């Protein structure tokens, strides 16, 4: 009986271990690399002093990573041979911040070699770059992701939200990632940061309905301003703030401009074409604290899309290349 009881306890412990191996956790590196969050935070603080747009760069990089193959740091991989990596695809050619991830990875490897994944580093770095001006973490990041070994530019199409997408297309895409309409509206709030090349929205300014006109859903006065900034044809060298006057501040101002019909992309304006989505926009516009709380919840969901855990994937030693010696 004692042997059976002991064996049963052993099986229970083994079962719990196997179950927990596949889960993300706030304390994943507690015993193996307890300094990881401190290291990331300190390096991000240094970089944000010199680059105030780093938050916009890294949160966008995380979105683009998680929406293709899940949050596995595949967006960080460089092209190998003739197979172009994700970062070579047109929507990703404007991504920035890869050097910052390299700096963080190198620092962590010196302290905790072969322990912390690039996917976890990206999740922490994006959070901390956004949080830096607030002097506190704006959301918690669960850890335990492992890194993927595949990165293909051909997989970008159909996985990343297009700036030209209508509401139905956006909902379908987000649903396929395990995200709902609320997540769609909340995460779109990240457009309060950063800027965009004219080519991503110039179609709204010129001959939108084949009559030489602008998109009627865009405020006409704002359309005139944008046409002055973005001549036709669009120049890849010209960029425009996505949230005019607030592109370096993480706040709910995006919803103000959205309700003023000044959202830059077709996909922004699309959020007002659905009754439920429109209500969410209005609620978030009225309360910055509500937006922060909602963004934290949606980021937790987004950052868990398709994660590799347990023995899946690997822990890259260099975020730009897969580890040698595996097929």
């Amino acid at each position: 009986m004692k042997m059976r009881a002991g064996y049963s306890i052993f099986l229970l412990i083994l079962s719990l271990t196997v179950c927990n191996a596949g889960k993300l956790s706030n304390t994943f590196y507690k015993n193996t690399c307890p300094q990881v969050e401190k290291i990331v935070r300190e390096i991000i603080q240094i970089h944000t002093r010199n680059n105030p747009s780093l938050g916009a760069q890294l949160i966008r990089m995380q979105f683009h990573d998680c929406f293709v193959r899940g949050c596995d740091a595949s967006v960080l991989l460089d092209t190998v041979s003739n197979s172009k990596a994700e970062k070579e695809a047109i929507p990703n050619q404007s991504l920035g911040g890869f050097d910052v991830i390299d700096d963080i990875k190198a620092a962590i490897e010196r302290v905790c070699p072969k322990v912390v994944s690039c996917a976890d580093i990206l999740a922490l770095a994006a959070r901390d770059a956004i949080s830096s001006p607030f002097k506190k973490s704006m959301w918690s990041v669960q850890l335990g992701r492992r890194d993927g070994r595949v990165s293909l530019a051909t997989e970008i199409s159909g996985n990343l939200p297009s700036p030209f997408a209508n509401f139905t297309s956006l909902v379908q895409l987000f649903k396929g990632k395990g995200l709902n309409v609320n997540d769609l509206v909340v995460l779109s709030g990240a457009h309060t940061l950063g800027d965009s090349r004219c080519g991503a929205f110039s179609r709204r300014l010129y001959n939108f309905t084949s009559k030489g006109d602008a998109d009627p859903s865009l405020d006409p006065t704002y359309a005139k301003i944008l046409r002055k900034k973005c001549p036709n044809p669009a120049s890849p060298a010209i960029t425009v703030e996505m949230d005019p006057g607030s592109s370096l501040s993480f706040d709910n101002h995006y919803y103000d401009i959205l309700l003023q019909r000044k959202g830059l992309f077709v996909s922004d304006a699309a959020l007002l074409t659905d009754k439920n989505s429109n209500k969410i926009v209005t609620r978030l516009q009225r309360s910055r604290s509500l937006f922060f709380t909602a963004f934290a919840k949606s980021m937790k969901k987004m950052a868990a899309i398709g994660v590799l855990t347990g023995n899946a994937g690997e822990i890259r030693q260099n975020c730009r290349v897969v580890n040698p010696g595996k097929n």
Side-chain angles (χ1 to χ4, degrees):
M1 289 295 293
K2 288 183 179 180
M3 287 182 62
R4 287 185 179 179
Y7 185 62
S8 296
I9 293 173
F10 169 75
L11 289 177
L12 176 61
I13 294 173
L14 179 62
S15 175
L16 290 173
T17 302
V18 171
C19 289
N20 290 335
K23 294 182 179 180
L24 301 182
S25 165
N26 290 321
T27 58
F28 188 82
Y29 296 111
K30 181 179 180 180
N31 298 320
T32 56
C33 192
Q35 316 96 311
V36 60
E37 295 202 41
K38 181 175 183 290
I39 293 171
V40 175
R41 184 169 58 253
E42 290 178 349
I43 293 177
I44 286 295
Q45 287 173 348
I46 293 171
H47 279 281
T48 51
R49 284 198 290 267
N50 300 320
N51 179 11
S53 64
L54 184 62
Q57 293 175 337
L58 293 183
I59 199 73
R60 182 167 178 250
M61 185 189 291
Q62 188 184 9
F63 284 164
H64 284 222
D65 180 50
C66 291
F67 270 70
V68 182
R69 286 189 166 264
C71 308
D72 67 346
S74 54
V75 75
L76 302 177
L77 289 171
D78 287 341
T79 291
V80 177
S81 302
N82 295 323
S83 180
K84 289 186 177 181
E86 290 174 25
K87 62 172 63 170
E88 301 296 332
I90 291 176
N92 285 342
Q93 289 176 5
S94 57
L95 291 178
F98 294 103
D99 58 324
V100 178
I101 301 300
D102 291 339
D103 287 351
I104 296 171
K105 180 62 172 175
I108 291 175
E109 284 296 303
R110 287 193 290 269
V111 179
C112 311
K114 304 179 183 180
V115 171
V116 181
S117 69
C118 298
D120 278 347
I121 289 173
L122 177 54
L124 288 170
R127 188 270 309 272
D128 290 346
I130 295 291
S131 302
S132 185
F134 297 91
K135 309 300 182 185
K136 65 176 183 179
S137 294
M138 297 302 289
W139 61 87
S140 64
V141 175
Q142 292 191 309
L143 303 169
R145 300 166 190 79
R146 288 171 66 86
D147 300 322
R149 294 179 52 82
V150 177
S151 181
L152 299 171
T154 54
E155 294 186 341
I156 297 299
S157 179
N159 277 306
L160 287 182
S162 166
F164 311 112
N166 60 30
F167 185 75
T168 300
S169 297
L170 290 170
V171 171
Q172 290 176 343
L173 178 61
F174 272 64
K175 184 178 180 180
K177 309 298 179 184
L179 303 173
N180 58 31
V181 171
N182 188 72
D183 298 316
L184 165 62
V185 179
V186 169
L187 293 175
S188 292
H191 285 179
T192 192
L193 294 169
D195 50 31
S196 170
R197 293 176 180 176
C198 294
F201 60 87
S202 61
R203 194 171 73 184
R204 301 187 75 194
L205 307 178
Y206 303 98
N207 205 31
F208 186 75
T209 63
S210 301
K211 296 179 182 179
D213 58 347
D215 182 349
S217 69
L218 183 64
D219 177 79
T221 301
Y222 188 49
K224 290 180 181 178
I225 294 173
L226 291 176
R227 279 196 292 268
K228 290 181 180 179
K229 294 182 178 181
C230 296
N232 193 27
S235 168
I238 301 175
T239 60
V240 173
E241 290 179 295
M242 291 192 288
D243 184 357
S246 184
S247 64
L248 293 177
S249 301
F250 182 66
D251 52 33
N252 63 332
H253 189 259
Y254 164 79
Y255 302 104
D256 285 328
I257 61 120
L258 204 57
L259 291 170
Q260 295 166 16
R261 296 167 55 205
K262 295 179 182 178
L264 201 57
F265 307 126
V266 170
S267 58
D268 290 324
L271 301 183
L272 301 180
T273 63
D274 174 79
K275 185 177 180 180
N276 183 36
S277 175
N278 201 316
K279 286 182 179 179
I280 298 170
V281 169
T282 302
R283 284 202 302 270
L284 296 172
Q285 181 267 339
R286 290 173 178 169
S287 172
R288 189 172 74 158
S289 61
L290 176 62
F291 167 62
F292 287 161
T293 300
F295 195 84
K297 291 180 180 179
S298 291
M299 278 300 298
K300 181 178 179 181
K301 291 176 64 176
M302 194 276 292
I305 295 174
V307 293
L308 301 175
T309 58
N311 294 321
E314 64 181 14
I315 304 297
R316 272 183 234 144
Q317 296 170 48
N318 179 337
C319 291
R320 293 177 179 265
V321 295
V322 299
N323 296 337
K326 291 184 178 181
N327 295 323

